[in-house]
Amino acid sequence: MSTKAYRILLFYKYVNVPNAEAFAAEHLQFCKELGVLGRILIADQGINGTLSGTVEQTEAYMAAMRDHPLFSDLLFKIDESDGHAFKKIFVRYKKELVTLRYDKELDPNVDGGERLSPKQFFEKMQQNDVVILDGRSNYEYDLGHFRGAIKPDLKTFREFPEWIRRNLTAHKDKPILTYCTGGIRCEMLTAVLKNEGFKDVYQLEGGIVTYGQDSEVQGRGFDGNCYVFDERVSVRINRTEEHTLVGECHHCGTKTDRYINCADDTCHLQHLVCGKCEEEHRGYCSAECAEHDLASAGPIR
């Protein structure tokens, strides 16, 4: 039994939320009163959030959500923690849960691909004819990904439809396996794939986080670490002896799982860095940034 006093919750649900903007304001007040910290997006099409709090606070949050008629079946992914994973609480209304701006309105609950459990996903990955598609951004892939997965090398999710048309059309007859951090992006990604004419489309139910927590699969087949959008930044997924790092230091190429922001306030490029280079380059991503910061500081008086 764990002795850790805090938890991190990850959750989402596509569901029609009446008066979503007003609900977001009410939900922010509720979270403040409860004392949880994190980021929650609320849209007309549902909710997407990750937050941290004590065991008591997170239990109270989950109980309250399950008492709500719209969220009674909301699934929570739970990680234990030594403390808060966020510094503030943000609850915001957004037009789309996942920014896509697609030319057709899609309902992931109806239009999405078949969901696979971690075990089913692992077994499917062993087939020779499958295409494994990472549904995240390039910096997330660089830290860790499923072995053999395609890196779309995209900066934003809304670039996916055009990328699919340019790069994936030749694979329309193959099974497409998609995955993302918690599952929400692949709900929409598989809906796009099906609308673009792909027939055999699957998504990892619960995403990478659930895959890593599965007691049978134990994260097998995932190389590197998973990028998460909280103070931890990087978490281990593969719990087996085959775990390895795939992230490469921005400066020297050494394997690492540490992401930092460039120390230059006008840059703040998030980049992977090893301990040696972080010290040597003083947290800057380039000599230009170091020089720029020095110049902008002005003469010492």
Side-chain angles (χ1 to χ4, degrees):
M1 186 174 180
S2 174
T3 58
K4 292 187 177 181
Y6 286 78
R7 287 173 174 170
I8 300 167
L9 305 182
L10 180 66
F11 55 93
Y12 75 88
K13 184 181 180 183
Y14 281 101
V15 60
N16 180 47
V17 181
N19 304 314
E21 199 162 358
F23 177 72
E26 295 169 3
H27 201 67
L28 173 60
Q29 187 59 37
F30 166 67
C31 289
K32 285 181 176 179
E33 292 172 359
L34 196 57
V36 293
L37 304 179
R39 285 191 292 269
I40 301 173
L41 299 177
I42 295 171
D44 299 335
Q45 61 186 177
I47 188 169
N48 178 28
T50 177
L51 57 81
S52 63
T54 64
V55 172
E56 293 76 14
Q57 288 170 333
T58 53
E59 282 290 339
Y61 182 87
M62 290 188 289
M65 293 302 282
R66 286 167 178 156
D67 281 341
H68 194 289
L70 291 179
F71 307 112
S72 59
D73 58 349
L74 187 62
L75 297 177
F76 291 92
K77 303 168 189 70
I78 304 172
D79 266 337
E80 296 171 339
S81 178
D82 293 319
H84 271 297
F86 298 92
K87 295 178 180 178
K88 297 180 179 180
I89 177 67
F90 295 94
V91 181
R92 290 176 178 155
Y93 172 78
K94 190 180 177 186
K95 288 186 177 181
E96 294 181 283
L97 279 187
V98 178
T99 304
L100 183 61
R101 297 174 189 169
Y102 195 51
D103 54 13
K104 178 182 178 182
E105 188 173 341
L106 300 171
D107 180 355
N109 293 317
V110 177
D111 305 317
E114 181 180 342
R115 294 176 177 85
L116 298 178
S117 69
K119 182 180 179 182
Q120 290 171 324
F121 192 86
F122 176 78
E123 291 172 349
K124 204 82 170 174
M125 283 196 298
Q126 311 313 308
Q127 297 178 6
N128 294 325
D129 62 340
V130 298
V131 174
I132 307 171
L133 177 61
D134 196 305
R136 305 170 301 158
S137 300
N138 49 15
Y139 63 91
E140 297 172 80
Y141 180 99
D142 289 342
L143 179 62
H145 50 266
F146 280 105
R147 204 167 301 141
I150 295 174
K151 176 185 178 181
D153 201 16
L154 306 178
K155 293 182 179 179
T156 63
F157 188 77
R158 63 175 176 264
E159 297 174 65
F160 255 115
E162 185 56 36
W163 181 89
I164 289 168
R165 292 164 192 152
R166 290 197 318 265
N167 299 278
L168 219 57
T169 305
H171 300 296
K172 276 193 174 180
D173 295 330
K174 295 181 179 180
I176 309 292
L177 305 183
T178 71
Y179 67 91
C180 59
T181 308
I184 188 169
R185 282 177 282 185
C186 285
E187 295 266 13
M188 191 61 73
L189 176 57
T190 55
V192 170
L193 284 164
K194 290 181 69 176
N195 191 63
E196 293 291 328
F198 293 81
K199 306 295 183 185
D200 207 5
V201 181
Y202 304 88
Q203 56 182 305
L204 174 57
E205 187 168 23
I208 301 167
V209 174
T210 296
Y211 190 87
Q213 293 175 342
D214 185 83
S215 59
E216 186 172 1
V217 176
Q218 296 185 323
R220 193 178 301 277
F222 191 90
D223 291 332
N225 286 2
C226 179
Y227 187 99
V228 290
F229 297 88
D230 58 53
E231 296 292 318
R232 297 172 297 168
V233 182
S234 171
V235 298
R236 179 171 172 173
I237 296 299
N238 194 322
R239 307 289 178 179
T240 73
E241 70 287 345
E242 68 178 28
H243 173 255
T244 182
L245 297 180
V246 297
E248 295 183 354
C249 176
H250 177 75
H251 300 286
C252 71
T254 299
K255 299 297 183 185
T256 182
D257 62 355
R258 178 161 169 73
Y259 258 122
I260 66 169
N261 292 323
C262 177
D264 181 3
D265 286 337
T266 65
C267 177
H268 275 181
L269 175 71
Q270 190 174 60
H271 59 290
L272 285 159
V273 64
C274 67
K276 180 181 178 182
C277 287
E278 182 177 5
E279 181 178 353
E280 180 180 336
H281 295 274
R282 295 175 294 130
Y284 294 102
C285 70
S286 66
E288 289 75 17
C289 281
E291 291 170 3
H292 174 268
D293 225 17
L294 183 63
S296 62
I300 300 175
R301 298 183 187 278

